[in-house]
């Protein structure tokens, strides 16, 4: 029982990282219709920015908050001056631009901060607590709790604020939103900014675990994309649940299914995707859009 | 634009990108270009009356860039100092400076093969010091075909020290089996009973360590292996494995792991799980400053590793002449002013000294003659080597250095461990 609970909570913690990144990608996709492959790279850059603030003597929590703020601005600026030129055009071109951006950001981070593994302090102590008779690390729990809190906050913003309403309007139909007098350009920037800020949180949570390197988020990005496909692009909550599902199932399959074991566990989420997409092409929680003729 | 079109396109793009990534990862271009003429009479490419050019392909970017940068820095520092003093007097009476060309392979085998082909085009005399088993393996056959020496490379793969299989190769650092066996021997001499949990990388690296370890404990009835798991070199977390192994109640943990961040997170995770065994760690992932301090290794009853190199960061060697010369060379000639966080800096410095030995015994400016001279070095104590270890290139099946000393972490550096406590 103890091992089981540990595996589930560790799985949730890993899944939370994928979820944060996936949420950011969904946020951008809902606002602009693009898939931002550079989301992971931007998260790494945010973590480096936090690292730089730490170096200037800021306490950890303030450094992370500062990085979140800077990342918000960075996301908005990237949208305004780079992505804006490709919106409404051929989406495939825009995809290539984001892939290029990923490569560029990784290179810049390596050039400024070297490719060495940098130590990034954790928000959580190296300690454990007792949950249902299992020894569970504070870091795993903390990571999960932080992501849940952010999710709730996002939901509140989207459902309870004017800004959220406007963002949803732009995502739903940019043209109508624009005719209704909404500042669509600003809102797109805010969408990208929020996604980058979310990425910054994910980066700060991952960095202590993997040590800070320019390629730190590459694997997480693949899992995040898997979670998006599994959960459905149109459902933020679905994406988070899918990410958790992937993290937990992967862990459990490795330990309890001898045929899979630790060496094949990476295949678990992808087998899951095949199965789900065959049954429900729109993903577990995605909306099936019916077009009336 | 309606949502379903948008969505299905997004899915399509993700799928296409994933497929593309798989294709790129799966194929590898093979190029058997070039035709080594192996003409032994004239001088080989890469050597003139003024200089000899060595090539290094090693990871200078990516996850292994830290140790990779070190493999260049040590050799560059050594020959920087030698060149500043006028160069090396070769066995044929000519004094030459040693030039070093470096190529980044980011620990990617395809890139290292491409780099090797570039080196052939750039007229490199010999390839040396580069880090990585898959990356060195990627151009091993090409090096044999082209008859270019690939020597004193940083891999514990026994293949490189098999003279039959690899006539143009020689490994520098101890093979994985040497290290695994050293741990096993120490444990077998213990007067107590021990339960061992093993986590190993699912490749030749991990298997080599485990093989050497198991051979050494064979017949020792005080040692029982109670758990044995593997992980993939591409994994970003081994939490599930550690959770499973913690359940075995082992008091000794042999972690044959080559990935720096994973070792740090393993140290942290086991503490979080409340599992506090004694550790055995490979020589390339047991750096006090880069791994053990961030991993808070003092929480464990003992962390053991093997070494054949003096540790510059250790107070025990602060006054050591070798160490002081090494550090000043590193800062002056290799643009590496920091205290090295990885042993590869010291190892590649020793590679420089070992190459110099071979150069001094070369009677002709040819690659064949260089190999013969290189394979004839015995009992050479390179600078920075610990007492009891030495370079010996004359034994088939063994790398240039096959002797290691088991050491125990003392909170700052390592001290020699005579017994397992």
């Amino acid at each position: 029982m103890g091992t089981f609970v540990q595996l589930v909570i560790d799985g949730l913690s890993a899944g939370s990282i994928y979820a944060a990144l996936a949420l950011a990608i969904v946020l951008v996709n809902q606002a602009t219709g693009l898939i931002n492959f550079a989301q992971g790279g931007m998260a790494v850059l945010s973590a480096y920015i936090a690292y730089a603030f730490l170096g200037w003597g800021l306490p950890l929590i303030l450094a992370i908050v500062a990085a979140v703020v800077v990342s918000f601005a960075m996301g908005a600026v990237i949208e305004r001056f780079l992505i804006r030129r490709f919106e409404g055009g051929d989406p495939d071109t825009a995809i290539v631009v984001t892939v290029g951006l990923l490569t560029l950001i990784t290179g810049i981070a390596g050039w400024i901060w070297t490719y060495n593994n940098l130590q990034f302090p954790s928000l959580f102590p190296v300690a454990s607590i007792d949950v249902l008779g299992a020894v569970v690390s504070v870091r795993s729990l903390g990571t999960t709790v932080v992501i849940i809190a952010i999710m709730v906050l996002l939901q509140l913003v989207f459902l309870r604020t004017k800004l959220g309403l406007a963002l949803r309007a732009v995502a739903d139909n940019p043209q109508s939103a624009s005719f209704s007098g909404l500042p669509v350009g600003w809102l797109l920037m805010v969408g990208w900014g929020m996604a980058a800020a979310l990425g910054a949180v994910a980066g700060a949570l991952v960095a202590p675990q993997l040590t800070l390197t320019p390629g730190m988020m590459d694997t997480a990005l693949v899992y995040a994309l898997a979670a998006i496909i599994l959960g459905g692009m149109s459902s933020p909550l679905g994406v988070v649940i899918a990410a958790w599902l992937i993290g937990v199932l992967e862990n459990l399959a490795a330990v309890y299914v001898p045929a899979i074991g630790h060496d094949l566990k990476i295949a678990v989420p992808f087998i899951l995707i095949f199965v789900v997409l065959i049954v429900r092409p729109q993903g577990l929680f995605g909306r099936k859009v019916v077009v009336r003729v | 634009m309606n949502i379903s079109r948008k969505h299905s396109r997004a899915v399509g793009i993700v799928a296409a990108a994933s497929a593309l990534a798989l294709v790129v990862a799966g194929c590898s271009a093979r190029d058997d270009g070039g035709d080594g003429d192996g003409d032994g009479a004239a001088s080989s490419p890469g050597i003139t009356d003024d200089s000899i050019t060595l090539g290094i392909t090693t990871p200078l970017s990516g996850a292994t860039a830290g140790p990779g940068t070190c493999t260049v820095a040590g050799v560059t520092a050594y020959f920087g100092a030698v060149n500043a003093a006028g160069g090396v007097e070769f066995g044929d009476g000519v004094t030459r400076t040693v030039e070093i060309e470096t190529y980044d392979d980011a620990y990617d085998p395809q890139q290292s093969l491409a780099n090797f082909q570039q080196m052939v085009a750039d007229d490199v005399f010999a390839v040396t010091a580069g880090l990585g088993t898959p990356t060195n393996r990627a151009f091993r056959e090409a090096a044999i075909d082209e008859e270019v020496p690939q020597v004193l490379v940083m891999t514990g793969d026994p293949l490189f020290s098999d003279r039959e299989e690899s006539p143009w190769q020689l490994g520098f650092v101890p093979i994985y089996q040497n290290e695994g066996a050293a741990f096993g021997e120490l444990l077998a001499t213990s007067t107590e009973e021990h339960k061992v949990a093993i986590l190993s990388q699912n490749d030749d690296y991990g298997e080599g360590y485990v093989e050497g370890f198991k051979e050494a404990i064979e017949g020792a009835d005080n040692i029982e292996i109670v758990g044995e798991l593997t992980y993939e070199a591409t994994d970003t977390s081994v939490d599930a494995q550690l959770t499973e192994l913690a359940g075995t109640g082992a008091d000794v943990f042999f972690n044959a792991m080559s990935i720096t961040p994973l070792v740090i997170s393993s140290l942290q995770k086991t503490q979080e799980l409340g599992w506090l065994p004694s550790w055995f760690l490979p020589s390339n992932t047991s750096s006090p400053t880069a791994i053990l301090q961030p991993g808070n290794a003092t929480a464990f009853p003992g962390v053991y590793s093997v070494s054949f190199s003096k540790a510059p960061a250790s107070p025990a060697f602060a006054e050591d002449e070798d160490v002081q010369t090494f550090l000043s060379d590193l800062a002056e000639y290799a643009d590496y002013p920091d205290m090295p966080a990885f042993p590869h800096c010291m190892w590649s410095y020793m590679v420089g000294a070992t190459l110099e030995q071979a150069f001094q015994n070369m009677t002709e400016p040819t690659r064949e003659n260089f190999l013969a001279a290189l394979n004839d070095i015995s009992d050479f104590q390179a600078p920075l080597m610990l007492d009891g270890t030495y370079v010996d290139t004359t034994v088939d099946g063994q790398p240039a250095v096959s002797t290691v000393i088991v050491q125990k972490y003392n909170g700052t550096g390592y001290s020699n461990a005579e017994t397992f406590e």
Side-chain angles (χ1 to χ4, degrees), chain A residues 171-265:
Chain A
D172 197 42
N173 192 330
Q175 231 171 351
S176 304
S178 164
F179 290 151
S180 325
L182 288 174
V184 171
W186 277 104
L187 288 167
L188 292 179
M189 284 168 70
V190 168
W192 268 77
M194 281 168 70
L198 239 173
V201 175
L205 289 172
V206 170
Q209 174 108 13
L210 297 185
T211 68
L212 189 49
T213 55
M216 162 177 97
M217 280 292 206
D218 293 356
T219 312
L221 181 74
V222 174
Y223 280 105
L225 291 170
I228 289 166
I229 302 294
L230 194 60
M233 183 64 82
S234 50
S235 163
L237 182 66
V239 163
V240 172
I241 289 173
W244 281 338
L245 201 63
I246 287 173
V248 172
L249 275 180
E250 201 184 35
N251 263 354
L252 293 180
V255 175
Y256 293 113
V257 186
I260 291 176
H262 293 285
D263 296 325
L264 196 65
K265 69 176 187 182

Side-chain angles (χ1 to χ4, degrees), chain A residues 84-281:
Chain A
R84 184 71 58 89
R85 304 178 189 285
F86 300 95
E87 278 162 15
D90 184 351
D92 300 353
T93 311
I95 292 290
V96 175
V97 170
T98 65
V99 173
L101 190 62
L102 169 65
T103 316
L104 179 72
I105 288 176
T106 305
I108 288 175
W111 175 61
I112 299 179
W113 286 283
T114 76
Y115 284 88
N116 293 340
N117 309 70
L118 301 175
Q119 293 303 320
F120 192 95
S122 176
L123 276 170
F124 311 106
V126 176
S128 52
I129 49 173
D130 203 68
V131 179
L132 303 173
V135 184
V136 171
S137 75
V138 173
R139 182 154 69 184
S140 294
L141 269 184
T143 303
T144 314
V145 169
V146 166
I147 296 298
I148 292 175
I150 287 175
M151 231 178 60
V152 170
L153 194 74
L154 267 182
Q155 285 287 9
L156 287 176
V157 166
F158 272 104
L159 300 177
R160 295 266 184 276
T161 65
K162 274 211 167 101
L163 172 68
L165 185 65
L167 281 168
R168 279 186 295 154
V170 171
D172 197 42
N173 192 330
Q175 231 171 351
S176 304
S178 164
F179 290 151
S180 325
L182 288 174
V184 171
W186 277 104
L187 288 167
L188 292 179
M189 284 168 70
V190 168
W192 268 77
M194 281 168 70
L198 239 173
V201 175
L205 289 172
V206 170
Q209 174 108 13
L210 297 185
T211 68
L212 189 49
T213 55
M216 162 177 97
M217 280 292 206
D218 293 356
T219 312
L221 181 74
V222 174
Y223 280 105
L225 291 170
I228 289 166
I229 302 294
L230 194 60
M233 183 64 82
S234 50
S235 163
L237 182 66
V239 163
V240 172
I241 289 173
W244 281 338
L245 201 63
I246 287 173
V248 172
L249 275 180
E250 201 184 35
N251 263 354
L252 293 180
V255 175
Y256 293 113
V257 186
I260 291 176
H262 293 285
D263 296 325
L264 196 65
K265 69 176 187 182
I266 191 154
V268 171
F270 297 94
I271 293 168
L272 207 61
I273 288 173
F274 292 141
V275 174
V276 167
L277 288 186
I278 288 167
V279 182
R280 278 183 65 90

Side-chain angles (χ1 to χ4, degrees), chain B residues 124-204:
Chain B
V124 161
F125 179 83
V127 183
T128 187
L131 159 83
T133 300
T135 41
N136 273 302
R137 273 192 170 204
F139 65 94
R140 188 186 66 93
E141 286 174 10
I144 295 169
D145 291 344
E146 298 277 353
E147 300 186 332
V148 177
Q150 178 188 7
V151 292
L152 307 185
V153 283
M154 305 292 182
T155 163
D157 186 345
L159 179 64
F160 289 84
S161 305
D162 181 327
R163 312 299 155 98
E164 186 84 16
E165 290 278 325
S166 306
W168 289 85
Q169 277 74 17
L170 182 61
F172 182 72
V173 290
I175 54 179
Y176 313 131
Q177 286 82 349
N178 296 149
E179 294 199 8
F183 291 141
E185 282 157 18
L186 185 76
L187 202 56
T189 60
S190 168
T191 51
E192 317 217 325
E193 305 217 326
H194 296 288
K195 291 180 177 172
V196 185
I198 299 176
L199 179 60
S200 61
Q201 198 163 295
N202 189 15
D203 56 15
D204 289 348

